mmCIF file of all heavy atoms in Angstrom:
data_model
loop_
_atom_site.group_PDB
_atom_site.id
_atom_site.type_symbol
_atom_site.label_atom_id
_atom_site.label_comp_id
_atom_site.label_asym_id
_atom_site.label_seq_id
_atom_site.Cartn_x
_atom_site.Cartn_y
_atom_site.Cartn_z
ATOM 1 N N SER A 437 -8.973 15.896 42.574
ATOM 2 C CA SER A 437 -10.220 16.268 41.986
ATOM 3 C C SER A 437 -11.179 15.168 42.189
ATOM 4 O O SER A 437 -12.324 15.323 41.661
ATOM 5 C CB SER A 437 -10.027 16.483 40.488
ATOM 6 O OG SER A 437 -9.646 15.298 39.848
ATOM 7 N N LYS A 438 -10.922 14.137 42.975
ATOM 8 C CA LYS A 438 -11.812 12.998 43.140
ATOM 9 C C LYS A 438 -12.490 13.162 44.602
ATOM 10 O O LYS A 438 -11.746 13.351 45.601
ATOM 11 C CB LYS A 438 -11.088 11.665 43.079
ATOM 12 C CG LYS A 438 -10.749 11.242 41.598
ATOM 13 C CD LYS A 438 -10.205 9.920 41.573
ATOM 14 C CE LYS A 438 -9.778 9.509 40.159
ATOM 15 N NZ LYS A 438 -10.974 9.384 39.269
ATOM 16 N N ILE A 439 -13.773 12.971 44.584
ATOM 17 C CA ILE A 439 -14.527 13.008 45.876
ATOM 18 C C ILE A 439 -15.042 11.613 46.070
ATOM 19 O O ILE A 439 -15.754 11.092 45.182
ATOM 20 C CB ILE A 439 -15.625 14.158 45.831
ATOM 21 C CG1 ILE A 439 -14.982 15.485 45.932
ATOM 22 C CG2 ILE A 439 -16.540 13.910 47.021
ATOM 23 C CD1 ILE A 439 -15.922 16.596 45.798
ATOM 24 N N PHE A 440 -14.874 11.035 47.254
ATOM 25 C CA PHE A 440 -15.307 9.606 47.475
ATOM 26 C C PHE A 440 -16.599 9.840 48.264
ATOM 27 O O PHE A 440 -16.680 10.453 49.291
ATOM 28 C CB PHE A 440 -14.256 8.845 48.344
ATOM 29 C CG PHE A 440 -12.917 8.763 47.673
ATOM 30 C CD1 PHE A 440 -11.811 9.191 48.320
ATOM 31 C CD2 PHE A 440 -12.801 8.393 46.340
ATOM 32 C CE1 PHE A 440 -10.600 9.090 47.702
ATOM 33 C CE2 PHE A 440 -11.638 8.303 45.680
ATOM 34 C CZ PHE A 440 -10.442 8.710 46.414
ATOM 35 N N CYS A 441 -17.717 9.221 47.679
ATOM 36 C CA CYS A 441 -18.971 9.382 48.129
ATOM 37 C C CYS A 441 -19.590 8.021 48.447
ATOM 38 O O CYS A 441 -19.655 7.128 47.551
ATOM 39 C CB CYS A 441 -19.845 10.185 47.160
ATOM 40 S SG CYS A 441 -21.538 10.403 47.524
ATOM 41 N N LEU A 442 -20.281 7.852 49.624
ATOM 42 C CA LEU A 442 -20.979 6.688 50.010
ATOM 43 C C LEU A 442 -22.479 6.932 49.880
ATOM 44 O O LEU A 442 -23.096 7.796 50.559
ATOM 45 C CB LEU A 442 -20.663 6.332 51.404
ATOM 46 C CG LEU A 442 -21.430 5.015 51.954
ATOM 47 C CD1 LEU A 442 -20.984 3.772 51.200
ATOM 48 C CD2 LEU A 442 -21.178 4.924 53.463
ATOM 49 N N HIS A 443 -23.190 6.220 48.876
ATOM 50 C CA HIS A 443 -24.519 6.311 48.777
ATOM 51 C C HIS A 443 -25.240 4.968 49.045
ATOM 52 O O HIS A 443 -25.020 3.968 48.256
ATOM 53 C CB HIS A 443 -24.863 6.817 47.268
ATOM 54 C CG HIS A 443 -26.277 7.055 47.082
ATOM 55 N ND1 HIS A 443 -27.127 7.740 47.910
ATOM 56 C CD2 HIS A 443 -27.088 6.585 46.057
ATOM 57 C CE1 HIS A 443 -28.309 7.850 47.394
ATOM 58 N NE2 HIS A 443 -28.385 7.087 46.298
ATOM 59 N N VAL A 444 -26.089 4.878 49.985
ATOM 60 C CA VAL A 444 -26.668 3.616 50.428
ATOM 61 C C VAL A 444 -25.551 2.634 50.802
ATOM 62 O O VAL A 444 -24.807 2.813 51.727
ATOM 63 C CB VAL A 444 -27.663 3.009 49.438
ATOM 64 C CG1 VAL A 444 -28.477 1.829 50.127
ATOM 65 C CG2 VAL A 444 -28.584 4.179 48.988
ATOM 66 N N PHE A 445 -25.351 1.550 49.990
ATOM 67 C CA PHE A 445 -24.306 0.675 50.256
ATOM 68 C C PHE A 445 -23.147 0.766 49.270
ATOM 69 O O PHE A 445 -22.231 -0.136 49.185
ATOM 70 C CB PHE A 445 -24.800 -0.785 50.293
ATOM 71 C CG PHE A 445 -25.891 -1.062 51.305
ATOM 72 C CD1 PHE A 445 -27.225 -1.300 50.898
ATOM 73 C CD2 PHE A 445 -25.617 -0.967 52.657
ATOM 74 C CE1 PHE A 445 -28.236 -1.498 51.752
ATOM 75 C CE2 PHE A 445 -26.648 -1.195 53.601
ATOM 76 C CZ PHE A 445 -27.980 -1.418 53.175
ATOM 77 N N SER A 446 -23.201 1.733 48.397
ATOM 78 C CA SER A 446 -22.203 1.838 47.255
ATOM 79 C C SER A 446 -21.253 2.985 47.434
ATOM 80 O O SER A 446 -21.677 4.083 47.725
ATOM 81 C CB SER A 446 -22.967 1.965 46.002
ATOM 82 O OG SER A 446 -22.079 2.210 44.854
ATOM 83 N N MET A 447 -19.889 2.684 47.392
ATOM 84 C CA MET A 447 -18.917 3.777 47.391
ATOM 85 C C MET A 447 -18.390 4.063 45.958
ATOM 86 O O MET A 447 -18.194 3.051 45.166
ATOM 87 C CB MET A 447 -17.767 3.253 48.168
ATOM 88 C CG MET A 447 -16.623 4.281 48.327
ATOM 89 S SD MET A 447 -16.983 5.698 49.263
ATOM 90 C CE MET A 447 -16.848 5.036 50.954
ATOM 91 N N SER A 448 -18.421 5.298 45.600
ATOM 92 C CA SER A 448 -17.878 5.661 44.246
ATOM 93 C C SER A 448 -17.090 6.919 44.430
ATOM 94 O O SER A 448 -17.131 7.679 45.191
ATOM 95 C CB SER A 448 -19.176 6.022 43.341
ATOM 96 O OG SER A 448 -19.892 7.039 43.941
ATOM 97 N N ALA A 449 -16.154 6.987 43.372
ATOM 98 C CA ALA A 449 -15.227 8.131 43.200
ATOM 99 C C ALA A 449 -15.736 9.049 42.080
ATOM 100 O O ALA A 449 -15.961 8.642 40.994
ATOM 101 C CB ALA A 449 -13.817 7.651 42.787
ATOM 102 N N VAL A 450 -16.126 10.238 42.543
ATOM 103 C CA VAL A 450 -16.749 11.256 41.620
ATOM 104 C C VAL A 450 -15.633 12.181 41.173
ATOM 105 O O VAL A 450 -14.911 12.858 42.053
ATOM 106 C CB VAL A 450 -17.959 11.914 42.299
ATOM 107 C CG1 VAL A 450 -18.581 12.881 41.274
ATOM 108 C CG2 VAL A 450 -18.890 10.938 42.750
ATOM 109 N N GLU A 451 -15.475 12.336 39.878
ATOM 110 C CA GLU A 451 -14.528 13.345 39.392
ATOM 111 C C GLU A 451 -15.230 14.684 39.367
ATOM 112 O O GLU A 451 -16.212 14.865 38.647
ATOM 113 C CB GLU A 451 -14.094 12.908 37.924
ATOM 114 C CG GLU A 451 -12.877 13.729 37.416
ATOM 115 C CD GLU A 451 -11.586 13.246 37.948
ATOM 116 O OE1 GLU A 451 -11.416 12.103 38.183
ATOM 117 O OE2 GLU A 451 -10.688 14.166 38.169
ATOM 118 N N VAL A 452 -14.736 15.699 40.109
ATOM 119 C CA VAL A 452 -15.230 17.039 40.173
ATOM 120 C C VAL A 452 -14.243 17.949 39.625
ATOM 121 O O VAL A 452 -13.191 18.185 40.172
ATOM 122 C CB VAL A 452 -15.637 17.280 41.613
ATOM 123 C CG1 VAL A 452 -16.254 18.675 41.606
ATOM 124 C CG2 VAL A 452 -16.509 16.320 42.275
ATOM 125 N N PRO A 453 -14.544 18.656 38.500
ATOM 126 C CA PRO A 453 -13.576 19.718 37.970
ATOM 127 C C PRO A 453 -13.515 20.799 39.054
ATOM 128 O O PRO A 453 -14.499 21.256 39.676
ATOM 129 C CB PRO A 453 -14.223 20.178 36.746
ATOM 130 C CG PRO A 453 -15.266 19.084 36.371
ATOM 131 C CD PRO A 453 -15.714 18.474 37.576
ATOM 132 N N GLN A 454 -12.254 21.340 39.175
ATOM 133 C CA GLN A 454 -12.003 22.339 40.156
ATOM 134 C C GLN A 454 -12.068 23.725 39.549
ATOM 135 O O GLN A 454 -11.505 24.648 40.055
ATOM 136 C CB GLN A 454 -10.645 22.139 40.773
ATOM 137 C CG GLN A 454 -10.413 20.761 41.356
ATOM 138 C CD GLN A 454 -11.402 20.414 42.483
ATOM 139 O OE1 GLN A 454 -11.492 21.105 43.415
ATOM 140 N NE2 GLN A 454 -12.206 19.271 42.284
ATOM 141 N N SER A 455 -12.823 23.892 38.490
ATOM 142 C CA SER A 455 -12.892 25.173 37.749
ATOM 143 C C SER A 455 -13.475 26.192 38.641
ATOM 144 O O SER A 455 -12.902 27.318 38.660
ATOM 145 C CB SER A 455 -13.832 24.951 36.603
ATOM 146 O OG SER A 455 -13.446 23.796 35.764
ATOM 147 N N ALA A 456 -14.615 25.998 39.377
ATOM 148 C CA ALA A 456 -15.182 26.997 40.151
ATOM 149 C C ALA A 456 -14.270 27.699 41.139
ATOM 150 O O ALA A 456 -14.078 28.862 41.307
ATOM 151 C CB ALA A 456 -16.376 26.485 40.837
ATOM 152 N N PRO A 457 -13.525 26.868 42.017
ATOM 153 C CA PRO A 457 -12.662 27.521 42.956
ATOM 154 C C PRO A 457 -11.405 28.118 42.265
ATOM 155 O O PRO A 457 -11.028 29.167 42.804
ATOM 156 C CB PRO A 457 -12.162 26.257 43.853
ATOM 157 C CG PRO A 457 -12.607 25.099 43.155
ATOM 158 C CD PRO A 457 -13.797 25.414 42.383
ATOM 159 N N MET A 458 -11.014 27.580 41.086
ATOM 160 C CA MET A 458 -9.930 28.253 40.432
ATOM 161 C C MET A 458 -10.322 29.560 40.001
ATOM 162 O O MET A 458 -9.539 30.617 40.155
ATOM 163 C CB MET A 458 -9.513 27.304 39.178
ATOM 164 C CG MET A 458 -8.315 27.853 38.384
ATOM 165 S SD MET A 458 -8.145 27.252 36.789
ATOM 166 C CE MET A 458 -9.288 28.290 35.917
ATOM 167 N N TYR A 459 -11.533 29.751 39.434
ATOM 168 C CA TYR A 459 -11.985 31.114 38.954
ATOM 169 C C TYR A 459 -12.126 32.083 40.136
ATOM 170 O O TYR A 459 -12.014 33.298 39.961
ATOM 171 C CB TYR A 459 -13.257 30.983 38.121
ATOM 172 C CG TYR A 459 -13.027 30.400 36.717
ATOM 173 C CD1 TYR A 459 -13.430 29.250 36.360
ATOM 174 C CD2 TYR A 459 -12.410 31.241 35.806
ATOM 175 C CE1 TYR A 459 -13.235 28.765 35.070
ATOM 176 C CE2 TYR A 459 -12.146 30.790 34.538
ATOM 177 C CZ TYR A 459 -12.616 29.558 34.134
ATOM 178 O OH TYR A 459 -12.368 29.068 32.921
ATOM 179 N N GLN A 460 -12.436 31.599 41.327
ATOM 180 C CA GLN A 460 -12.639 32.327 42.470
ATOM 181 C C GLN A 460 -11.211 33.018 42.789
ATOM 182 O O GLN A 460 -11.093 34.160 43.195
ATOM 183 C CB GLN A 460 -13.141 31.498 43.686
ATOM 184 C CG GLN A 460 -14.647 31.263 43.513
ATOM 185 C CD GLN A 460 -15.087 30.286 44.555
ATOM 186 O OE1 GLN A 460 -14.348 29.503 45.180
ATOM 187 N NE2 GLN A 460 -16.386 30.354 45.016
ATOM 188 N N TYR A 461 -10.237 32.160 42.764
ATOM 189 C CA TYR A 461 -8.854 32.750 42.986
ATOM 190 C C TYR A 461 -8.447 33.721 41.832
ATOM 191 O O TYR A 461 -7.732 34.677 42.137
ATOM 192 C CB TYR A 461 -7.831 31.618 43.081
ATOM 193 C CG TYR A 461 -7.844 30.918 44.449
ATOM 194 C CD1 TYR A 461 -8.326 29.598 44.552
ATOM 195 C CD2 TYR A 461 -7.369 31.490 45.564
ATOM 196 C CE1 TYR A 461 -8.304 28.953 45.838
ATOM 197 C CE2 TYR A 461 -7.362 30.933 46.845
ATOM 198 C CZ TYR A 461 -7.941 29.627 46.895
ATOM 199 O OH TYR A 461 -7.861 29.012 48.167
ATOM 200 N N LEU A 462 -8.838 33.386 40.635
ATOM 201 C CA LEU A 462 -8.404 34.292 39.497
ATOM 202 C C LEU A 462 -9.121 35.632 39.679
ATOM 203 O O LEU A 462 -8.469 36.621 39.280
ATOM 204 C CB LEU A 462 -8.917 33.716 38.192
ATOM 205 C CG LEU A 462 -8.000 32.600 37.554
ATOM 206 C CD1 LEU A 462 -8.581 32.157 36.216
ATOM 207 C CD2 LEU A 462 -6.548 33.129 37.370
ATOM 208 N N GLU A 463 -10.310 35.702 40.124
ATOM 209 C CA GLU A 463 -10.904 37.036 40.326
ATOM 210 C C GLU A 463 -10.100 37.869 41.318
ATOM 211 O O GLU A 463 -10.182 39.142 41.216
ATOM 212 C CB GLU A 463 -12.423 36.818 40.814
ATOM 213 C CG GLU A 463 -13.314 36.280 39.792
ATOM 214 C CD GLU A 463 -14.716 35.981 40.320
ATOM 215 O OE1 GLU A 463 -14.921 36.259 41.549
ATOM 216 O OE2 GLU A 463 -15.533 35.381 39.628
ATOM 217 N N ARG A 464 -9.475 37.230 42.290
ATOM 218 C CA ARG A 464 -8.693 38.031 43.328
ATOM 219 C C ARG A 464 -7.276 38.135 42.743
ATOM 220 O O ARG A 464 -6.374 38.645 43.532
ATOM 221 C CB ARG A 464 -8.675 37.250 44.587
ATOM 222 C CG ARG A 464 -10.062 37.029 45.196
ATOM 223 C CD ARG A 464 -10.504 38.229 45.930
ATOM 224 N NE ARG A 464 -11.840 37.933 46.636
ATOM 225 C CZ ARG A 464 -11.909 37.412 47.881
ATOM 226 N NH1 ARG A 464 -10.825 37.070 48.581
ATOM 227 N NH2 ARG A 464 -13.105 37.251 48.380
ATOM 228 N N LYS A 465 -6.943 37.694 41.555
ATOM 229 C CA LYS A 465 -5.557 37.847 41.051
ATOM 230 C C LYS A 465 -4.536 36.958 41.761
ATOM 231 O O LYS A 465 -3.364 37.313 41.846
ATOM 232 C CB LYS A 465 -5.073 39.320 40.966
ATOM 233 C CG LYS A 465 -5.998 40.248 40.206
ATOM 234 C CD LYS A 465 -6.048 39.901 38.729
ATOM 235 C CE LYS A 465 -6.974 40.854 37.937
ATOM 236 N NZ LYS A 465 -7.140 40.464 36.464
#
Side-chain angles (χ1 to χ4, degrees):
S437 63
K438 287 186 183 292
I439 290 176
F440 304 127
C441 176
L442 177 66
H443 182 51
V444 191
F445 302 113
S446 172
M447 177 70 76
S448 59
V450 180
E451 189 80 36
V452 179
Q454 306 301 306
S455 308
M458 185 199 80
Y459 282 109
Q460 289 174 332
Y461 281 110
L462 278 183
E463 287 175 6
R464 301 274 183 92
K465 305 294 182 186

